[in-house]
Amino acid sequence: MSDIIQLLPDHVANQIAAGEVVQRPASVVKELLENAIDAGATCIKLLLKDAGKTLIQVIDDGKGMSSTDARMCFERHATSKIQKAEDLFNLCTKGFRGEALASIAAIAHVELKTKQENEELGTCIKIEGSKIISQDFISTGKGTSLAVKNLFYNIPARRNFLKSDTVETRHIIDEFQRVALAHPNIAFLLHHNNNEVYHLKNNNLRQRIVAIFGTKMNEKLVPIDEQTDILTIEGFVAKPEFAKRKRGEQFFFVNNRFIKSSYLNHAVVNAFDGLLENGSHPSYFLYLTVPANTIDINIHPTKTEIKFDNEKALYAMLRATVKHSLGQYNVAPVLDFNRDSNLDTPYHFNAKSVATKAPKITVDPNFNPFKEATQKEIHFPFKRQKQNENWESLYTSVAVNTEEKQEELFDNQQEIKTQKTFQIQRKYLLSSIKSGVVLINQSLAHQRVLYEDFLESITVKEANSQQLLFPVKIAFSSTEIEMIYTIKSELENAGFSFDEFTKDSVTIKGIPVSVTESKITIILEELLNDMNLEVPDASFSHFDIMAKSFAKTLSIKTGTQLSEKEQEGLVNDLFSCKAPSISPFGKPTFKTLTLNEIDNLFNS
């Protein structure tokens, strides 16, 4: 029998490895940016075309590579930071030319230009699908430029699995933000299709956060600073009133490496206990520094998950530190959460000294308590009637009021007898039908009604818009502004009217009739979050996701008391919809219970 086990060719092995390392263009961006940081760069440029599918290029001014290193960095298992197995548990760098370059070169066209400072000429290497096409000496500046073109060109199945340009760009920006936040001392530039998205100068952490998320973020931040023997915590948390409905701006960094940790997130949320509305999530930018040998960052291929030696101690310290900072900066009351602000000393009295003289007491020498008071001496706030005057009116009014209340009582009883719907626990509506009863989820039913109304307004007829007396200016990050601008025409079809777009804000002068001014920010934030979901890039998808987002945000919520008229109106509107049985998100809006099913409940 012939042998059937064989070694895979290098180019096939590299393609298999690429499946683990390179999931999408954002994976390539992360590896190249981290390599540039470890090269000691002070300025890093990221150039993209077509969400990285056509081009991902990272240019840095770091130390560069020799011609030998430039060739070696594309070999499998080539690295500059690991000499022995023990080094895996004492990592202080992110990687230097080689951890993933072999995998990237296997599935793309790669062009590398690099030069060290003390060399006269640099090196240029071109690779296509793991095959080195050329290697030449060139004249170039200090540092490295690595261009990855036509990603997944030789694996069309993987390329077909990529999402729309909008979604892939969002993932790239997420990776870019994480790296930029971890290294505020490095300047970063991001260009997409020749348009500048970010131009971040090297500055302090607070300025870096504001530069990425907009100027309005500056007023939200509460500083965090704590040092212990086993842990150093720095960074910022956002004030409770700026909490969001979605988990968005939540960043943990351990030894300048972005991580995800539900355990540490729970510690932060616990510190906000009693300060957040139900369903809200705090924003935070927290930087933890621990000894490198007390963590294991190799438990996940992307190194975004981490294992600590003493998780419980870190949890307690993090929770206490955040809670202390919230109290220290008067964000949260330290002792009395129900303190009455009316009892506070007014500002203009703070500097005044306490009076030392006793107040003067005035006495009326003519006052005689035994003297019979006359009508003139007694001051009533109303004209008093004589004692026995019109006494019948007292009983008449009582009798009339009693009769009216009795009539109201019987009227209410008559209304209850003819009432068509009933509200249960402020969550469900119960309505009688010929075959039995129907139980309706009021929130999901209202979502369906609003969804179809919005969809019709956006796509079929022109929506009504109400002009605001004073235009509303809302601050967003530059990427969020760009997303809003891309769907500007769809929002205008929905009834929004825009006055001005700037780099970090948008001014709105008109809103849909069904939207209140106080909900503008919530609606747009929810819409941006929904736009970040992986939806197909179809012309209809923006309309659909917009209608869903509006319906979800504006629908009545569980716990809302509805009058009888509102209940009946909602039931009628629901069964006038084209698809009344399901919500916009595929959940059932109502359940029917026939008479036979009800009888069986009592006969079983």
Side-chain angles (χ1 to χ4, degrees):
M1 187 174 178
S2 60
D3 298 331
I4 60 174
I5 297 177
Q6 58 184 347
L7 291 175
L8 289 172
D10 283 345
H11 70 280
V12 177
N14 284 337
Q15 286 188 3
I16 294 173
E20 298 179 358
V21 177
V22 185
Q23 299 174 351
R24 58 192 346 142
S27 307
V28 177
V29 169
K30 177 179 182 291
E31 295 292 342
L32 299 187
L33 289 178
E34 290 183 345
N35 280 348
I37 291 169
D38 280 344
T42 59
C43 180
I44 301 174
K45 299 177 183 178
L46 173 60
L47 309 179
L48 303 171
K49 283 187 180 179
D50 303 327
K53 299 172 185 177
T54 303
L55 172 68
I56 300 172
Q57 185 175 8
V58 173
I59 305 170
D60 68 62
D61 59 353
K63 62 183 69 172
M65 288 184 285
S66 66
S67 59
T68 303
D69 284 346
R71 181 72 175 261
M72 281 291 293
C73 73
F74 291 104
E75 297 295 328
R76 293 188 68 201
H77 309 305
T79 180
S80 63
K81 67 176 181 178
I82 302 295
Q83 277 77 41
K84 53 186 184 297
E86 287 75 11
D87 292 339
L88 288 170
F89 302 98
N90 194 22
L91 298 177
C92 298
T93 60
K94 292 180 173 63
F96 183 73
R97 319 294 185 200
E99 281 79 357
L101 292 185
S103 300
I104 294 171
I107 53 174
H109 298 160
V110 177
E111 182 179 19
L112 171 67
K113 296 178 182 178
T114 184
K115 186 178 88 72
Q116 293 180 324
E117 189 173 13
N118 56 355
E119 297 289 337
E120 293 185 4
L121 293 175
T123 304
C124 177
I125 296 179
K126 294 182 180 179
I127 300 177
E128 295 181 2
S130 294
K131 294 181 181 179
I132 296 180
I133 305 301
S134 64
Q135 179 172 348
D136 302 304
F137 289 103
I138 60 166
S139 177
T140 184
K142 173 203 166 189
T144 301
S145 169
L146 202 151
V148 178
K149 305 174 183 177
N150 305 320
L151 192 65
F152 298 126
Y153 81 98
N154 53 353
I155 314 179
R158 288 292 302 277
R159 192 176 180 89
N160 292 336
F161 272 99
L162 293 179
K163 304 296 181 181
S164 67
D165 283 1
T166 303
V167 174
E168 295 299 341
T169 302
R170 180 70 251 176
H171 284 286
I172 290 174
I173 289 176
D174 285 344
E175 292 293 350
F176 178 85
Q177 289 178 349
R178 292 166 183 174
V179 175
L181 286 171
H183 302 276
N185 58 323
I186 300 176
F188 288 90
L189 289 89
L190 171 58
H191 289 254
H192 185 215
N193 293 338
N194 298 321
N195 295 321
E196 183 181 277
V197 181
Y198 284 112
H199 187 170
L200 308 175
K201 299 178 181 179
N202 56 330
N203 42 34
N204 61 38
L205 177 57
R206 190 183 195 110
Q207 292 171 329
R208 174 58 54 87
I209 294 172
V210 171
I212 292 177
F213 295 101
T215 53
K216 192 176 181 181
M217 179 61 74
N218 192 36
E219 64 180 277
K220 302 179 183 179
L221 300 178
V222 176
I224 302 289
D225 190 5
E226 185 67 37
Q227 294 185 359
T228 66
D229 294 338
I230 63 172
L231 172 69
T232 299
I233 306 174
E234 298 175 312
F236 300 91
V237 295
K239 297 175 183 176
E241 59 264 31
F242 297 106
K244 295 189 174 182
R245 293 292 177 183
K246 296 282 185 178
R247 289 192 179 102
E249 296 150 2
Q250 296 184 339
F251 295 89
F252 274 119
F253 299 90
V254 175
N255 296 354
N256 286 336
R257 184 189 294 273
F258 172 80
I259 68 156
K260 296 177 182 178
S261 174
S262 57
Y263 188 69
L264 295 182
N265 176 74
H266 189 272
V268 176
V269 173
N270 204 308
F272 278 85
D273 187 30
L275 301 175
L276 298 177
E277 293 183 10
N278 191 23
S280 297
H281 302 278
S283 299
Y284 53 79
F285 308 85
L286 295 173
Y287 296 74
L288 283 64
T289 304
V290 297
N293 59 357
T294 63
I295 56 175
D296 184 2
I297 63 172
N298 293 300
I299 62 173
H300 192 275
T302 61
K303 297 181 174 63
T304 54
E305 296 180 11
I306 198 167
K307 184 173 178 59
F308 298 93
D309 282 353
N310 46 1
E311 281 188 333
K312 291 185 178 180
L314 295 181
Y315 181 99
M317 291 179 187
L318 181 60
R319 178 184 177 277
T321 300
V322 173
K323 201 171 186 68
H324 174 70
S325 292
L326 290 174
Q328 185 179 7
Y329 289 91
N330 296 325
V331 175
V334 179
L335 295 176
D336 186 7
F337 284 81
N338 296 317
R339 177 177 54 85
D340 187 355
S341 60
N342 295 324
L343 300 179
D344 291 346
T345 305
Y347 178 78
H348 56 280
F349 282 106
N350 281 343
K352 293 188 176 182
S353 58
V354 180
T356 56
K357 295 182 179 179
K360 294 182 179 179
I361 301 175
T362 58
V363 179
D364 183 6
N366 298 321
F367 175 74
N368 185 357
F370 301 101
K371 183 181 178 182
E372 184 178 357
T374 63
Q375 184 69 25
K376 291 183 180 180
E377 291 173 339
I378 302 175
H379 301 283
F380 291 99
F382 54 88
K383 188 175 181 180
R384 182 174 142 182
Q385 292 181 334
K386 294 183 179 179
Q387 187 173 2
N388 296 326
E389 188 177 64
N390 297 330
W391 61 271
E392 296 91 350
S393 63
L394 297 176
Y395 295 95
T396 304
S397 62
V398 171
V400 170
N401 289 339
T402 304
E403 289 174 1
E404 288 178 353
K405 289 187 177 182
Q406 287 176 344
E407 289 176 2
E408 289 178 4
L409 180 61
F410 286 112
D411 287 343
N412 289 341
Q413 289 178 346
Q414 186 65 26
E415 287 178 5
I416 292 175
K417 291 178 182 178
T418 59
Q419 189 172 336
K420 297 179 180 179
T421 59
F422 301 91
Q423 190 176 24
I424 303 174
Q425 298 295 326
R426 298 184 180 181
K427 184 175 183 179
Y428 300 103
L429 301 180
L430 186 67
S431 182
S432 176
I433 55 178
K434 289 182 179 180
S435 61
V437 293
V438 60
L439 191 63
I440 303 170
N441 185 306
Q442 65 183 35
S443 181
L444 297 180
H446 198 213
Q447 286 181 21
R448 165 51 64 178
V449 173
L450 292 177
Y451 169 71
E452 293 197 4
D453 286 346
F454 276 121
L455 203 58
E456 184 180 7
S457 299
I458 297 172
T459 58
V460 179
K461 60 183 181 182
E462 186 177 349
N464 294 325
S465 178
Q466 55 179 332
Q467 296 299 304
L468 298 174
L469 185 60
F470 300 102
V472 176
K473 186 176 182 180
I474 307 174
F476 289 104
S477 66
S478 57
T479 53
E480 291 173 333
I481 293 293
E482 186 178 358
M483 289 179 65
I484 293 175
Y485 193 78
T486 58
I487 57 172
K488 178 174 176 284
S489 60
E490 289 95 330
L491 285 169
E492 288 174 340
N493 288 340
F496 282 92
S497 178
F498 298 95
D499 188 23
E500 183 185 16
F501 279 86
T502 64
K503 191 174 182 180
D504 56 3
S505 68
V506 58
T507 303
I508 299 172
K509 62 180 181 180
I511 57 176
V513 176
S514 56
V515 176
T516 59
E517 185 175 339
S518 61
K519 293 229 174 159
I520 299 176
T521 304
I522 299 173
I523 286 176
L524 290 179
E525 286 181 351
E526 288 282 347
L527 179 59
L528 291 174
N529 285 323
D530 292 334
M531 291 294 293
N532 286 331
L533 296 176
E534 300 185 3
V535 293
D537 191 14
S539 58
F540 180 74
S541 66
H542 284 169
F543 295 117
D544 184 60
I545 198 169
M546 193 180 298
K548 286 181 179 177
S549 184
F550 288 171
K552 179 178 61 176
T553 306
L554 297 174
S555 63
I556 56 176
K557 303 297 186 287
T558 297
T560 303
Q561 181 71 40
L562 300 179
S563 65
E564 181 187 344
K565 189 175 181 180
E566 290 171 335
Q567 295 172 31
E568 292 183 4
L570 180 56
V571 173
N572 293 333
D573 290 342
L574 174 64
F575 290 103
S576 299
C577 291
K578 294 179 180 178
S581 60
I582 58 171
S583 76
F585 303 94
K587 296 180 179 179
T589 58
F590 66 87
K591 293 286 186 181
T592 57
L593 201 60
T594 65
L595 287 175
N596 288 335
E597 290 173 330
I598 297 174
D599 290 338
N600 290 334
L601 292 176
F602 297 94
N603 295 330
S604 58

